[in-house]
Each structure stands twice: as structure tokens, then as C-alpha cells.
Amino acid sequence: MDVVQWMTGNSSPISAVCGGAVSRAKTAEAPDVFTAVFGYPALTATWSLCYTSAYDFDWSVTFQGEKATMVMNRKGYRIFKEPEPSAAPWSAGAADTVIADVPDKDSADLHQQNFLDCIKSRKQPNCTVEIAAAAVAGPHMANIAYRENRKVTGRVTARVQVV
């Protein structure tokens, strides 16, 4: 959920619902197949995950807008132009014209190095505790929604006291 928050300027979601099942990981506490829906003040985000299949196994995030769709994953991002509107419903065609294809220049190694450098320098890392707490708030809300079979609402905040 961190990518959604970075790209939209949102903090943690204000609501979450989740449906799923423990399909193969029989001793798991959380579902290995699920779909969660997160409410933000001005948008809705969905997260679907299936750990029981190797198809499209890595992460990806899709942002759908009125003019284009952006698909981000570990390899980078691609932007697809939205077709012109059609008078007949559902007949505009697929958004398959790529208008940008940008490879990822980042790596997990850089994030880990930033963290280690900050331990030495005592500076704040790129991902502060507050940013990390906001990023995991949505998945925690979805887990509660799944376990309690209900919609979870409220804003999760992190207060950190350094001693």
C-alpha cells in the first residue's frame, strides 16, 4: 500500500473491507488468497493477492484514471492511453496504446543501504517510522476486517517517541 500512498499523497486509509480464504497454507493466520478494498478521502484502492498461483506472482499496482492507466511493478512502469469515449457503452476498446515505458532504476539494496547509513549517521531514513506505520496500516485494517468479517473504519496514526 505504500506505493498507493506515495503516488496519491494519502496517508493511511480511512476504511477497509477484506474477503479471502486460507487455501493452501493451512496453518496460516491470514488468508493466502484475498481481495481488500481501501477507502481514502478521494479514492478507492483494491488489493488482490493469490499466493496459491505462480501466475503474475510479483507485486503490481494499477492506477486507472480518465485519461490513462499506469501499471507499476518491480520492473518499472508503463502508461497506457485511455481510448476516446464512445457513444455506445463498453465499446471504446482496450487501453493498449503505450505512451510511456520506464524501467525501474531503484532497488531494495538502496533502501537497505539508506537504513544502515542512517544507523551510523543518526539521520532520519527515507522511510521514517511514521511513513512505515501509515504504509502498513491498510493491510492491518484489512486483516482485522477479514478476521471480524466487517468493515473497519478510522484513521491509524503513529506517534513515535525517541528516548
Side-chain angles (χ1 to χ4, degrees), residues 36-114:
V37 180
F38 302 96
Y40 290 90
L43 66 100
T44 299
T46 60
W47 178 20
S48 294
L49 189 65
C50 179
Y51 279 131
T52 64
S53 172
Y55 174 77
D56 204 14
F57 191 68
D58 210 354
W59 69 271
S60 70
V61 177
T62 303
F63 294 93
Q64 293 176 297
E66 295 176 358
K67 296 182 179 180
T69 295
M70 179 171 63
V71 179
M72 298 177 69
N73 58 31
R74 188 176 310 279
K75 298 173 188 169
Y77 68 88
R78 298 176 88 193
I79 299 177
F80 300 87
K81 183 179 184 302
E82 198 63 26
E84 294 299 320
S86 173
W90 308 106
S91 64
D96 54 7
T97 303
V98 177
I99 57 176
D101 191 351
V102 180
D104 188 15
K105 297 179 183 137
D106 199 3
S107 74
D109 294 342
L110 294 174
H111 294 286
Q112 294 164 2
Q113 189 60 53
N114 171 254

Side-chain angles (χ1 to χ4, degrees), residues 1 16-21 31-38 44-51 138-139 141-143 145-146 150:
M1 297 309 300
V17 293
C18 182
D32 52 2
V33 177
F34 71 86
T35 295
V37 180
F38 302 96
T44 299
T46 60
W47 178 20
S48 294
L49 189 65
C50 179
Y51 279 131
M141 291 171 72
N143 193 18
Y146 169 76
R150 68 179 179 92

Side-chain angles (χ1 to χ4, degrees), residues 93-157:
D96 54 7
T97 303
V98 177
I99 57 176
D101 191 351
V102 180
D104 188 15
K105 297 179 183 137
D106 199 3
S107 74
D109 294 342
L110 294 174
H111 294 286
Q112 294 164 2
Q113 189 60 53
N114 171 254
F115 180 75
L116 295 173
D117 291 344
C118 289
I119 291 173
K120 293 176 187 173
S121 70
R122 307 288 284 168
K123 292 181 182 176
Q124 285 288 323
N126 293 337
C127 181
T128 64
V129 171
E130 292 81 8
I131 292 169
V136 299
H140 286 313
M141 291 171 72
N143 193 18
I144 293 167
Y146 169 76
R147 289 171 182 260
E148 297 181 2
N149 196 27
R150 68 179 179 92
K151 181 177 184 176
V152 174
T153 59
R155 179 72 74 170
V156 177
T157 59

